Amino acid sequence: MSMNAPPQPQPGRTAALAVYGFYLLSIPSAAVFALVGVILALVSRDGASPFARSHLDDQIRIWMIAFWWSVGLLLLALIGWILSVVLIGFLLIWLAGLLGLAVYIWFTIKSFLGLLALLDNRMR
């Protein structure tokens, strides 16, 4: 009978787990915890093991994509608000809201799948 040794603790794994937690808790916090999570990911990257580093890099990438999409959709909504005088703006505001919901759902799903990969010891 051979007993498998428990896996060695990997530097940065706890930080990656915390970042996924912050990302998933950002749902009720209006993305405040997402900002805390990406800051933690940026700070924790340097001393992390390659496994944890892959998760931290992916978390930063996910946040950056969601952030820039949010900025673009905010600009679209602003243009829509200005153009609402000629009634086409309402369509742009609706489109910005619908795409914003899609980004929100994408961010949540990517965070959840990343958490599952981390718990399953798979790299990202």
Side-chain angles (χ1 to χ4, degrees), residues 45-86:
R45 259 178 25 169
D46 288 338
S49 67
F51 171 74
R53 176 78 186 241
S54 71
H55 281 275
L56 293 168
D57 288 342
D58 189 55
Q59 291 165 341
I60 294 166
R61 186 183 64 80
I62 290 168
W63 188 87
M64 287 294 188
I65 291 170
F67 173 76
W68 287 114
W69 267 98
S70 298
V71 168
L73 292 173
L74 184 65
L75 290 174
L76 180 65
L78 180 64
I79 292 169
W81 184 76
I82 293 169
L83 291 177
S84 65
V85 175
V86 291

Side-chain angles (χ1 to χ4, degrees), residues 10-51:
Q10 298 174 345
R13 183 183 171 94
T14 305
L17 185 63
V19 172
Y20 283 128
F22 280 128
Y23 279 6
L24 292 174
L25 286 175
S26 72
I27 296 166
S29 74
V32 172
F33 283 147
L35 182 61
V36 172
V38 76
I39 291 170
L40 178 62
L42 286 167
V43 169
S44 303
R45 259 178 25 169
D46 288 338
S49 67
F51 171 74

